[in-house]
Amino acid sequence: MIFRQLFEASSSTYTYIIACQEQGIAALIDPVLETVERDLEIIRQLDLKLTYTIDTHIHADHLTSATKLKALTDSRIVYPKQADLPCADMQVEDGKVFRIGSIELHPLFTPGHTDHHYAYLINQGPQQMVFTGDALLIDACGRTDFQSGDAGQLYDSIQEKLFSLPDETLVYPAHDYAGHYVTSIAQEQARNPRLGNNIPKEDFIAIMNGLDLPYPRKIDFAVPGNEVCGVCPPNVPDYLRSPCEVHDQG
């Protein structure tokens, strides 16, 4: 398996390349519109074909590049079944393995940040790894105060689906805002300020309800754009107009 972790600074988003070297095919987990050319260049350098874009959920902090990448590479757009997006070519569902060549991706339904959120587990090879999207972050978790969020539901998802994984499982989130790259299930169980030390559910809900976070600065165009798999809506800002356009990659 080929694995790369990539970062987009404006939204502090991690995108992941997962590839089957034997078949030469790759998937991008949570791709970002502004980094299309970078991502395709890395995939070309690795002598791979982009076959899938896989989003953990409908993001509110950036536009996905799923539609643009499909136009440029004929990749297939993959979204959670519960999102029920007509623009998706394929859906992931809890309990049904999604295959990227010889790689088995296990979708884990983890609602709470949104009502359709998924994490993705790879447990083949020497090291188990889980891509947790916006559900479980490093020393934090996704917010639950908009877009069908529910703090109690997020607590259950993390405790039942993620904290039940082996301690040594590596955790790769969709975002980090403090220069962190990876954590583990054991570390988050012990040290996460919101979820660690077996915090009671009612205490977690109180923490989440008291965060008083600012209004997401991209949500007004990101959510409607991502509901159509990354097609830019009319209110997209000028700096994204060029990335919105589909053009040949020279």
Side-chain angles (χ1 to χ4, degrees):
M1 183 180 82
I2 296 173
F3 168 68
R4 295 288 188 276
Q5 182 184 44
L6 309 170
F7 188 67
E8 194 282 310
S10 174
S11 60
S12 298
T13 298
Y14 280 122
T15 296
Y16 298 97
I17 298 176
I18 307 295
C20 171
Q21 194 167 15
E22 295 82 5
Q23 297 187 28
I25 63 175
L28 284 170
I29 296 177
D30 288 337
V32 179
L33 182 62
E34 293 97 311
T35 59
V36 164
E37 294 187 14
R38 177 203 67 185
D39 297 346
L40 288 179
E41 179 58 27
I42 293 171
I43 289 170
R44 277 196 293 264
Q45 290 173 2
L46 294 169
D47 196 26
L48 299 168
K49 175 179 172 54
L50 181 62
T51 306
Y52 305 109
T53 57
I54 306 170
D55 277 279
T56 53
H57 64 293
I58 296 170
H59 296 273
D61 44 28
H62 69 267
L63 282 165
T64 179
S65 57
T67 289
K68 184 167 184 177
L69 287 168
K70 179 179 180 178
L72 294 171
T73 69
D74 202 30
S75 55
R76 305 192 74 186
I77 297 172
V78 183
Y79 261 89
K81 179 181 179 181
Q82 285 80 357
D84 193 27
L85 296 185
C87 55
D89 300 304
M90 304 175 70
Q91 297 177 330
V92 290
E93 186 174 355
D94 198 311
K96 294 186 178 181
V97 174
F98 185 89
R99 289 179 171 80
I100 306 165
S102 62
I103 300 167
E104 293 187 348
L105 199 68
H106 297 265
L108 305 176
F109 183 43
T110 48
H113 174 64
T114 68
D115 62 3
H116 57 274
H117 189 284
Y118 269 74
Y120 302 114
L121 173 70
I122 296 176
N123 62 8
Q124 64 192 79
Q127 183 63 64
Q128 185 161 291
M129 56 206 313
V130 62
F131 303 92
T132 54
D134 287 27
L136 180 62
L137 307 177
I138 299 172
D139 292 336
C141 63
R143 59 194 292 180
T144 57
D145 57 333
F146 63 87
Q147 205 186 3
S148 68
D150 184 287
Q153 197 173 46
L154 181 60
Y155 181 91
D156 292 341
S157 292
I158 292 172
Q159 295 291 339
E160 296 169 11
K161 289 290 183 69
L162 300 177
F163 281 0
S164 65
L165 297 172
D167 286 353
E168 64 274 14
T169 304
L170 296 179
V171 174
Y172 290 96
H175 299 283
D176 189 80
Y177 308 95
H180 301 137
Y181 296 92
V182 62
T183 183
S184 69
I185 292 298
Q187 178 166 310
E188 295 310 308
Q189 286 177 315
R191 293 180 47 187
N192 191 298
R194 299 178 187 172
L195 290 148
N197 291 313
N198 296 309
I199 186 172
K201 184 175 182 178
E202 57 270 24
D203 291 354
F204 173 77
I205 292 172
I207 289 171
M208 298 305 292
N209 289 344
L211 289 178
D212 192 27
L213 296 170
Y215 187 74
R217 61 190 178 91
K218 296 184 180 181
I219 190 172
D220 290 334
F221 65 86
V223 169
N226 289 329
E227 287 174 341
V228 285
C229 298
V231 175
C232 291
N235 62 333
V236 72
D238 289 342
Y239 74 91
L240 273 177
R241 284 293 165 195
S242 178
C244 283
E245 298 171 2
V246 174
H247 54 83
D248 293 335
Q249 307 292 303

